[in-house]
PDB file of all heavy atoms in Angstrom:
ATOM      1  N   ASN A 156     114.026 132.613  76.640  1.00 78.00           N
ATOM      2  CA  ASN A 156     114.635 131.981  75.477  1.00 78.00           C
ATOM      3  C   ASN A 156     115.449 132.911  74.593  1.00 78.00           C
ATOM      4  O   ASN A 156     116.236 132.438  73.787  1.00 78.00           O
ATOM      5  CB  ASN A 156     113.560 131.321  74.626  1.00 78.00           C
ATOM      6  CG  ASN A 156     112.990 130.108  75.312  1.00 78.00           C
ATOM      7  OD1 ASN A 156     113.688 129.136  75.526  1.00 78.00           O
ATOM      8  ND2 ASN A 156     111.726 130.195  75.707  1.00 78.00           N
ATOM      9  N   ASN A 163     123.225 136.541  75.322  1.00 83.00           N
ATOM     10  CA  ASN A 163     122.095 136.014  74.575  1.00 83.00           C
ATOM     11  C   ASN A 163     121.354 137.114  73.829  1.00 83.00           C
ATOM     12  O   ASN A 163     120.932 136.924  72.689  1.00 83.00           O
ATOM     13  CB  ASN A 163     121.121 135.334  75.538  1.00 83.00           C
ATOM     14  CG  ASN A 163     121.178 133.843  75.343  1.00 83.00           C
ATOM     15  OD1 ASN A 163     121.583 133.383  74.279  1.00 83.00           O
ATOM     16  ND2 ASN A 163     120.775 133.105  76.350  1.00 83.00           N
ATOM     17  N   THR A 167     120.736 137.224  69.911  1.00 88.00           N
ATOM     18  CA  THR A 167     119.404 137.332  69.331  1.00 88.00           C
ATOM     19  C   THR A 167     119.342 138.468  68.328  1.00 88.00           C
ATOM     20  O   THR A 167     118.818 138.312  67.229  1.00 88.00           O
ATOM     21  CB  THR A 167     118.368 137.575  70.445  1.00 88.00           C
ATOM     22  OG1 THR A 167     118.513 136.548  71.413  1.00 88.00           O
ATOM     23  CG2 THR A 167     116.965 137.568  69.892  1.00 88.00           C
ATOM     24  N   ALA A 319     137.740  82.018  55.621  1.00 88.00           N
ATOM     25  CA  ALA A 319     137.836  82.362  54.200  1.00 88.00           C
ATOM     26  C   ALA A 319     136.662  83.240  53.783  1.00 88.00           C
ATOM     27  O   ALA A 319     136.841  84.261  53.103  1.00 88.00           O
ATOM     28  CB  ALA A 319     137.878  81.102  53.351  1.00 88.00           C
ATOM     29  N   ARG A 332     133.716 100.572  50.149  1.00 90.00           N
ATOM     30  CA  ARG A 332     133.552 101.723  51.046  1.00 90.00           C
ATOM     31  C   ARG A 332     134.719 102.694  50.942  1.00 90.00           C
ATOM     32  O   ARG A 332     134.614 103.842  51.359  1.00 90.00           O
ATOM     33  CB  ARG A 332     133.382 101.252  52.484  1.00 90.00           C
ATOM     34  CG  ARG A 332     131.920 100.969  52.810  1.00 90.00           C
ATOM     35  CD  ARG A 332     131.766 100.151  54.074  1.00 90.00           C
ATOM     36  NE  ARG A 332     132.692 100.509  55.118  1.00 90.00           N
ATOM     37  CZ  ARG A 332     132.423 101.341  56.112  1.00 90.00           C
ATOM     38  NH1 ARG A 332     131.245 101.899  56.185  1.00 90.00           N
ATOM     39  NH2 ARG A 332     133.307 101.597  57.027  1.00 90.00           N
ATOM     40  N   GLY A 333     135.835 102.224  50.413  1.00 89.00           N
ATOM     41  CA  GLY A 333     137.019 103.072  50.369  1.00 89.00           C
ATOM     42  C   GLY A 333     137.123 103.943  49.135  1.00 89.00           C
ATOM     43  O   GLY A 333     137.964 104.820  49.074  1.00 89.00           O
ATOM     44  N   ILE A 337     131.926 108.099  42.185  1.00 91.00           N
ATOM     45  CA  ILE A 337     132.256 108.518  40.818  1.00 91.00           C
ATOM     46  C   ILE A 337     133.197 107.537  40.156  1.00 91.00           C
ATOM     47  O   ILE A 337     132.992 107.138  39.011  1.00 91.00           O
ATOM     48  CB  ILE A 337     132.927 109.909  40.830  1.00 91.00           C
ATOM     49  CG1 ILE A 337     131.877 110.964  41.039  1.00 91.00           C
ATOM     50  CG2 ILE A 337     133.648 110.165  39.529  1.00 91.00           C
ATOM     51  CD1 ILE A 337     132.276 112.292  40.497  1.00 91.00           C
ATOM     52  N   LEU A 349     134.760  95.674  29.187  1.00 81.00           N
ATOM     53  CA  LEU A 349     135.967  94.883  28.940  1.00 81.00           C
ATOM     54  C   LEU A 349     135.889  93.518  29.611  1.00 81.00           C
ATOM     55  O   LEU A 349     136.498  92.556  29.166  1.00 81.00           O
ATOM     56  CB  LEU A 349     137.201  95.633  29.462  1.00 81.00           C
ATOM     57  CG  LEU A 349     137.629  96.881  28.712  1.00 81.00           C
ATOM     58  CD1 LEU A 349     138.808  97.534  29.406  1.00 81.00           C
ATOM     59  CD2 LEU A 349     138.005  96.530  27.287  1.00 81.00           C
ATOM     60  N   PHE A 350     135.146  93.465  30.737  1.00 82.00           N
ATOM     61  CA  PHE A 350     135.071  92.219  31.499  1.00 82.00           C
ATOM     62  C   PHE A 350     134.173  91.190  30.827  1.00 82.00           C
ATOM     63  O   PHE A 350     134.265  90.007  31.104  1.00 82.00           O
ATOM     64  CB  PHE A 350     134.523  92.482  32.900  1.00 82.00           C
ATOM     65  CG  PHE A 350     135.493  93.171  33.804  1.00 82.00           C
ATOM     66  CD1 PHE A 350     135.051  93.962  34.852  1.00 82.00           C
ATOM     67  CD2 PHE A 350     136.859  93.015  33.617  1.00 82.00           C
ATOM     68  CE1 PHE A 350     135.956  94.591  35.687  1.00 82.00           C
ATOM     69  CE2 PHE A 350     137.765  93.644  34.447  1.00 82.00           C
ATOM     70  CZ  PHE A 350     137.306  94.433  35.480  1.00 82.00           C
ATOM     71  N   LEU A 351     133.244  91.676  29.995  1.00 79.00           N
ATOM     72  CA  LEU A 351     132.226  90.771  29.460  1.00 79.00           C
ATOM     73  C   LEU A 351     132.760  90.016  28.253  1.00 79.00           C
ATOM     74  O   LEU A 351     133.643  90.500  27.553  1.00 79.00           O
ATOM     75  CB  LEU A 351     131.000  91.585  29.052  1.00 79.00           C
ATOM     76  CG  LEU A 351     130.300  92.271  30.213  1.00 79.00           C
ATOM     77  CD1 LEU A 351     129.203  93.172  29.700  1.00 79.00           C
ATOM     78  CD2 LEU A 351     129.740  91.259  31.184  1.00 79.00           C
ATOM     79  N   PRO A 352     132.207  88.816  28.016  1.00 76.00           N
ATOM     80  CA  PRO A 352     132.622  88.089  26.818  1.00 76.00           C
ATOM     81  C   PRO A 352     132.282  88.873  25.563  1.00 76.00           C
ATOM     82  O   PRO A 352     131.394  89.741  25.575  1.00 76.00           O
ATOM     83  CB  PRO A 352     131.834  86.785  26.887  1.00 76.00           C
ATOM     84  CG  PRO A 352     130.862  86.938  27.984  1.00 76.00           C
ATOM     85  CD  PRO A 352     131.261  88.076  28.833  1.00 76.00           C
ATOM     86  N   GLU A 353     132.977  88.571  24.512  1.00 71.00           N
ATOM     87  CA  GLU A 353     132.797  89.310  23.264  1.00 71.00           C
ATOM     88  C   GLU A 353     131.355  89.287  22.800  1.00 71.00           C
ATOM     89  O   GLU A 353     130.660  88.287  22.946  1.00 71.00           O
ATOM     90  CB  GLU A 353     133.649  88.668  22.174  1.00 71.00           C
ATOM     91  CG  GLU A 353     135.048  89.186  22.122  1.00 71.00           C
ATOM     92  CD  GLU A 353     135.763  88.596  20.932  1.00 71.00           C
ATOM     93  OE1 GLU A 353     136.178  87.436  21.021  1.00 71.00           O
ATOM     94  OE2 GLU A 353     135.866  89.298  19.918  1.00 71.00           O
ATOM     95  N   TYR A 374     127.621  99.435  52.001  1.00 93.00           N
ATOM     96  CA  TYR A 374     127.114 100.294  53.089  1.00 93.00           C
ATOM     97  C   TYR A 374     125.977  99.603  53.825  1.00 93.00           C
ATOM     98  O   TYR A 374     125.894  99.657  55.053  1.00 93.00           O
ATOM     99  CB  TYR A 374     126.676 101.645  52.532  1.00 93.00           C
ATOM    100  CG  TYR A 374     127.851 102.514  52.146  1.00 93.00           C
ATOM    101  CD1 TYR A 374     128.451 102.392  50.907  1.00 93.00           C
ATOM    102  CD2 TYR A 374     128.391 103.415  53.046  1.00 93.00           C
ATOM    103  CE1 TYR A 374     129.541 103.156  50.560  1.00 93.00           C
ATOM    104  CE2 TYR A 374     129.480 104.192  52.714  1.00 93.00           C
ATOM    105  CZ  TYR A 374     130.052 104.061  51.463  1.00 93.00           C
ATOM    106  OH  TYR A 374     131.142 104.823  51.133  1.00 93.00           O
ATOM    107  N   LYS A 430     120.585 110.827  47.144  1.00 92.00           N
ATOM    108  CA  LYS A 430     121.390 111.995  46.798  1.00 92.00           C
ATOM    109  C   LYS A 430     122.496 111.606  45.820  1.00 92.00           C
ATOM    110  O   LYS A 430     122.844 112.366  44.922  1.00 92.00           O
ATOM    111  CB  LYS A 430     121.999 112.602  48.065  1.00 92.00           C
ATOM    112  CG  LYS A 430     120.987 113.356  48.900  1.00 92.00           C
ATOM    113  CD  LYS A 430     121.625 114.060  50.064  1.00 92.00           C
ATOM    114  CE  LYS A 430     122.152 113.097  51.094  1.00 92.00           C
ATOM    115  NZ  LYS A 430     122.777 113.773  52.229  1.00 92.00           N
ATOM    116  N   LEU A 434     124.996 111.666  40.761  1.00 91.00           N
ATOM    117  CA  LEU A 434     126.322 111.539  40.142  1.00 91.00           C
ATOM    118  C   LEU A 434     126.284 110.893  38.765  1.00 91.00           C
ATOM    119  O   LEU A 434     127.280 110.935  38.044  1.00 91.00           O
ATOM    120  CB  LEU A 434     127.253 110.702  41.030  1.00 91.00           C
ATOM    121  CG  LEU A 434     127.488 111.143  42.453  1.00 91.00           C
ATOM    122  CD1 LEU A 434     128.723 110.500  43.002  1.00 91.00           C
ATOM    123  CD2 LEU A 434     127.628 112.637  42.523  1.00 91.00           C
ATOM    124  N   PHE A 472     115.184 118.071  48.409  1.00 94.00           N
ATOM    125  CA  PHE A 472     114.964 118.335  49.821  1.00 94.00           C
ATOM    126  C   PHE A 472     113.682 117.668  50.311  1.00 94.00           C
ATOM    127  O   PHE A 472     113.660 117.039  51.357  1.00 94.00           O
ATOM    128  CB  PHE A 472     114.897 119.850  50.080  1.00 94.00           C
ATOM    129  CG  PHE A 472     114.622 120.186  51.508  1.00 94.00           C
ATOM    130  CD1 PHE A 472     115.641 120.148  52.443  1.00 94.00           C
ATOM    131  CD2 PHE A 472     113.342 120.505  51.932  1.00 94.00           C
ATOM    132  CE1 PHE A 472     115.391 120.428  53.772  1.00 94.00           C
ATOM    133  CE2 PHE A 472     113.085 120.790  53.257  1.00 94.00           C
ATOM    134  CZ  PHE A 472     114.117 120.747  54.173  1.00 94.00           C
TER     135      PHE A 472
ATOM    136  N   GLN B  91     133.955  76.706  52.458  1.00 87.00           N
ATOM    137  CA  GLN B  91     134.989  77.708  52.213  1.00 87.00           C
ATOM    138  C   GLN B  91     135.744  77.428  50.931  1.00 87.00           C
ATOM    139  O   GLN B  91     136.065  78.337  50.169  1.00 87.00           O
ATOM    140  CB  GLN B  91     135.968  77.745  53.382  1.00 87.00           C
ATOM    141  CG  GLN B  91     135.331  78.296  54.624  1.00 87.00           C
ATOM    142  CD  GLN B  91     136.318  78.410  55.749  1.00 87.00           C
ATOM    143  OE1 GLN B  91     137.180  79.256  55.724  1.00 87.00           O
ATOM    144  NE2 GLN B  91     136.203  77.550  56.735  1.00 87.00           N
ATOM    145  N   TYR B 104     137.821  84.111  34.801  1.00 87.00           N
ATOM    146  CA  TYR B 104     136.915  84.305  33.663  1.00 87.00           C
ATOM    147  C   TYR B 104     136.961  85.763  33.198  1.00 87.00           C
ATOM    148  O   TYR B 104     137.137  86.059  32.016  1.00 87.00           O
ATOM    149  CB  TYR B 104     135.507  83.908  34.089  1.00 87.00           C
ATOM    150  CG  TYR B 104     134.420  84.222  33.098  1.00 87.00           C
ATOM    151  CD1 TYR B 104     134.318  83.513  31.907  1.00 87.00           C
ATOM    152  CD2 TYR B 104     133.489  85.221  33.372  1.00 87.00           C
ATOM    153  CE1 TYR B 104     133.310  83.797  31.008  1.00 87.00           C
ATOM    154  CE2 TYR B 104     132.478  85.506  32.479  1.00 87.00           C
ATOM    155  CZ  TYR B 104     132.392  84.798  31.293  1.00 87.00           C
ATOM    156  OH  TYR B 104     131.410  85.079  30.401  1.00 87.00           O
ATOM    157  N   ASN B 108     138.365  87.289  29.612  1.00 83.00           N
ATOM    158  CA  ASN B 108     137.555  88.164  28.762  1.00 83.00           C
ATOM    159  C   ASN B 108     138.272  89.459  28.473  1.00 83.00           C
ATOM    160  O   ASN B 108     138.300  89.937  27.340  1.00 83.00           O
ATOM    161  CB  ASN B 108     136.227  88.493  29.454  1.00 83.00           C
ATOM    162  CG  ASN B 108     135.270  87.332  29.362  1.00 83.00           C
ATOM    163  OD1 ASN B 108     135.410  86.492  28.480  1.00 83.00           O
ATOM    164  ND2 ASN B 108     134.327  87.297  30.272  1.00 83.00           N
ATOM    165  N   THR B 109     138.859  90.026  29.554  1.00 82.00           N
ATOM    166  CA  THR B 109     139.540  91.303  29.396  1.00 82.00           C
ATOM    167  C   THR B 109     140.698  91.179  28.418  1.00 82.00           C
ATOM    168  O   THR B 109     140.882  92.026  27.548  1.00 82.00           O
ATOM    169  CB  THR B 109     140.056  91.784  30.764  1.00 82.00           C
ATOM    170  OG1 THR B 109     139.017  91.617  31.710  1.00 82.00           O
ATOM    171  CG2 THR B 109     140.458  93.224  30.722  1.00 82.00           C
ATOM    172  N   ASN B 112     139.370  91.027  24.941  1.00 80.00           N
ATOM    173  CA  ASN B 112     138.846  92.325  24.523  1.00 80.00           C
ATOM    174  C   ASN B 112     139.952  93.322  24.231  1.00 80.00           C
ATOM    175  O   ASN B 112     139.884  94.071  23.261  1.00 80.00           O
ATOM    176  CB  ASN B 112     137.916  92.895  25.595  1.00 80.00           C
ATOM    177  CG  ASN B 112     136.572  92.220  25.575  1.00 80.00           C
ATOM    178  OD1 ASN B 112     136.063  91.898  24.503  1.00 80.00           O
ATOM    179  ND2 ASN B 112     136.006  91.977  26.744  1.00 80.00           N
ATOM    180  N   ASN B 115     141.596  92.502  20.972  1.00 79.00           N
ATOM    181  CA  ASN B 115     140.767  92.881  19.830  1.00 79.00           C
ATOM    182  C   ASN B 115     140.811  94.376  19.565  1.00 79.00           C
ATOM    183  O   ASN B 115     140.704  94.823  18.431  1.00 79.00           O
ATOM    184  CB  ASN B 115     139.317  92.456  20.056  1.00 79.00           C
ATOM    185  CG  ASN B 115     139.184  90.949  20.014  1.00 79.00           C
ATOM    186  OD1 ASN B 115     140.107  90.256  19.586  1.00 79.00           O
ATOM    187  ND2 ASN B 115     138.055  90.444  20.471  1.00 79.00           N
ATOM    188  N   ASN B 183     119.516 129.917  73.481  1.00 86.00           N
ATOM    189  CA  ASN B 183     118.820 130.949  72.712  1.00 86.00           C
ATOM    190  C   ASN B 183     117.979 130.301  71.623  1.00 86.00           C
ATOM    191  O   ASN B 183     118.494 129.632  70.737  1.00 86.00           O
ATOM    192  CB  ASN B 183     119.861 131.887  72.099  1.00 86.00           C
ATOM    193  CG  ASN B 183     119.238 133.087  71.436  1.00 86.00           C
ATOM    194  OD1 ASN B 183     118.245 132.966  70.723  1.00 86.00           O
ATOM    195  ND2 ASN B 183     119.798 134.245  71.685  1.00 86.00           N
ATOM    196  N   TRP B 184     116.655 130.514  71.691  1.00 88.00           N
ATOM    197  CA  TRP B 184     115.715 129.833  70.786  1.00 88.00           C
ATOM    198  C   TRP B 184     116.014 130.147  69.319  1.00 88.00           C
ATOM    199  O   TRP B 184     116.052 129.251  68.479  1.00 88.00           O
ATOM    200  CB  TRP B 184     114.295 130.270  71.157  1.00 88.00           C
ATOM    201  CG  TRP B 184     113.237 129.623  70.324  1.00 88.00           C
ATOM    202  CD1 TRP B 184     112.659 128.410  70.563  1.00 88.00           C
ATOM    203  CD2 TRP B 184     112.615 130.144  69.153  1.00 88.00           C
ATOM    204  NE1 TRP B 184     111.737 128.140  69.603  1.00 88.00           N
ATOM    205  CE2 TRP B 184     111.682 129.184  68.721  1.00 88.00           C
ATOM    206  CE3 TRP B 184     112.769 131.327  68.416  1.00 88.00           C
ATOM    207  CZ2 TRP B 184     110.896 129.374  67.591  1.00 88.00           C
ATOM    208  CZ3 TRP B 184     111.996 131.512  67.295  1.00 88.00           C
ATOM    209  CH2 TRP B 184     111.068 130.544  66.889  1.00 88.00           C
ATOM    210  N   GLU B 195     119.228 120.983  58.391  1.00 93.00           N
ATOM    211  CA  GLU B 195     118.252 120.236  57.590  1.00 93.00           C
ATOM    212  C   GLU B 195     118.324 120.617  56.118  1.00 93.00           C
ATOM    213  O   GLU B 195     118.200 119.767  55.246  1.00 93.00           O
ATOM    214  CB  GLU B 195     116.827 120.456  58.116  1.00 93.00           C
ATOM    215  CG  GLU B 195     116.556 119.821  59.478  1.00 93.00           C
ATOM    216  CD  GLU B 195     116.816 118.322  59.502  1.00 93.00           C
ATOM    217  OE1 GLU B 195     116.926 117.705  58.420  1.00 93.00           O
ATOM    218  OE2 GLU B 195     116.926 117.767  60.607  1.00 93.00           O
ATOM    219  N   ARG B 198     122.022 119.362  54.495  1.00 92.00           N
ATOM    220  CA  ARG B 198     122.394 117.952  54.388  1.00 92.00           C
ATOM    221  C   ARG B 198     121.396 117.178  53.536  1.00 92.00           C
ATOM    222  O   ARG B 198     121.645 116.033  53.199  1.00 92.00           O
ATOM    223  CB  ARG B 198     122.555 117.319  55.765  1.00 92.00           C
ATOM    224  CG  ARG B 198     121.289 117.071  56.488  1.00 92.00           C
ATOM    225  CD  ARG B 198     121.563 116.220  57.695  1.00 92.00           C
ATOM    226  NE  ARG B 198     120.320 115.998  58.401  1.00 92.00           N
ATOM    227  CZ  ARG B 198     120.224 115.293  59.494  1.00 92.00           C
ATOM    228  NH1 ARG B 198     121.290 114.754  59.993  1.00 92.00           N
ATOM    229  NH2 ARG B 198     119.066 115.132  60.072  1.00 92.00           N
ATOM    230  N   PHE B 211     127.585 127.356  38.687  1.00 87.00           N
ATOM    231  CA  PHE B 211     126.854 127.825  37.514  1.00 87.00           C
ATOM    232  C   PHE B 211     125.891 128.964  37.817  1.00 87.00           C
ATOM    233  O   PHE B 211     125.577 129.749  36.942  1.00 87.00           O
ATOM    234  CB  PHE B 211     126.064 126.680  36.873  1.00 87.00           C
ATOM    235  CG  PHE B 211     126.936 125.660  36.218  1.00 87.00           C
ATOM    236  CD1 PHE B 211     126.992 124.376  36.697  1.00 87.00           C
ATOM    237  CD2 PHE B 211     127.723 126.005  35.129  1.00 87.00           C
ATOM    238  CE1 PHE B 211     127.802 123.433  36.093  1.00 87.00           C
ATOM    239  CE2 PHE B 211     128.538 125.068  34.518  1.00 87.00           C
ATOM    240  CZ  PHE B 211     128.578 123.782  35.006  1.00 87.00           C
ATOM    241  N   TYR B 337     128.204 121.606  52.981  1.00 95.00           N
ATOM    242  CA  TYR B 337     127.517 120.308  53.063  1.00 95.00           C
ATOM    243  C   TYR B 337     128.039 119.500  54.241  1.00 95.00           C
ATOM    244  O   TYR B 337     127.271 119.026  55.077  1.00 95.00           O
ATOM    245  CB  TYR B 337     127.737 119.559  51.754  1.00 95.00           C
ATOM    246  CG  TYR B 337     127.136 118.182  51.684  1.00 95.00           C
ATOM    247  CD1 TYR B 337     125.764 118.014  51.561  1.00 95.00           C
ATOM    248  CD2 TYR B 337     127.936 117.048  51.705  1.00 95.00           C
ATOM    249  CE1 TYR B 337     125.215 116.754  51.471  1.00 95.00           C
ATOM    250  CE2 TYR B 337     127.390 115.787  51.611  1.00 95.00           C
ATOM    251  CZ  TYR B 337     126.030 115.638  51.495  1.00 95.00           C
ATOM    252  OH  TYR B 337     125.490 114.389  51.406  1.00 95.00           O
ATOM    253  N   LYS B 397     136.309 111.917  49.737  1.00 91.00           N
ATOM    254  CA  LYS B 397     135.733 111.161  48.627  1.00 91.00           C
ATOM    255  C   LYS B 397     134.821 112.061  47.795  1.00 91.00           C
ATOM    256  O   LYS B 397     134.800 111.965  46.568  1.00 91.00           O
ATOM    257  CB  LYS B 397     134.977 109.940  49.151  1.00 91.00           C
ATOM    258  CG  LYS B 397     135.929 108.826  49.572  1.00 91.00           C
ATOM    259  CD  LYS B 397     135.211 107.542  49.866  1.00 91.00           C
ATOM    260  CE  LYS B 397     134.756 107.496  51.291  1.00 91.00           C
ATOM    261  NZ  LYS B 397     133.942 106.313  51.575  1.00 91.00           N
ATOM    262  N   SER B 400     135.854 114.251  44.791  1.00 91.00           N
ATOM    263  CA  SER B 400     135.921 113.718  43.426  1.00 91.00           C
ATOM    264  C   SER B 400     134.790 114.266  42.562  1.00 91.00           C
ATOM    265  O   SER B 400     134.830 114.136  41.344  1.00 91.00           O
ATOM    266  CB  SER B 400     135.852 112.199  43.465  1.00 91.00           C
ATOM    267  OG  SER B 400     134.639 111.785  44.024  1.00 91.00           O
ATOM    268  N   LEU B 401     133.780 114.901  43.192  1.00 91.00           N
ATOM    269  CA  LEU B 401     132.710 115.521  42.407  1.00 91.00           C
ATOM    270  C   LEU B 401     133.255 116.676  41.577  1.00 91.00           C
ATOM    271  O   LEU B 401     132.556 117.212  40.719  1.00 91.00           O
ATOM    272  CB  LEU B 401     131.604 116.050  43.330  1.00 91.00           C
ATOM    273  CG  LEU B 401     130.928 114.992  44.175  1.00 91.00           C
ATOM    274  CD1 LEU B 401     129.885 115.612  45.062  1.00 91.00           C
ATOM    275  CD2 LEU B 401     130.295 113.960  43.270  1.00 91.00           C
ATOM    276  N   SER B 440     141.665 106.053  52.556  1.00 88.00           N
ATOM    277  CA  SER B 440     140.612 105.547  53.445  1.00 88.00           C
ATOM    278  C   SER B 440     141.152 104.511  54.411  1.00 88.00           C
ATOM    279  O   SER B 440     140.890 104.574  55.619  1.00 88.00           O
ATOM    280  CB  SER B 440     139.498 104.890  52.645  1.00 88.00           C
ATOM    281  OG  SER B 440     138.976 105.780  51.740  1.00 88.00           O
TER     282      SER B 440
END
Side-chain angles (χ1 to χ4, degrees):
Chain A
N156 290 295
N163 251 337
T167 306
R332 272 164 39 96
I337 283 205
L349 290 177
F350 287 153
L351 295 174
E353 273 186 282
Y374 287 85
K430 286 186 292 180
L434 303 199
F472 178 80
Chain B
Q91 291 183 72
Y104 172 71
N108 283 338
T109 314
N112 283 323
N115 291 347
N183 187 316
W184 181 86
E195 291 303 345
R198 73 169 179 180
F211 290 115
Y337 178 73
K397 284 190 273 175
S400 62
L401 299 179
S440 303

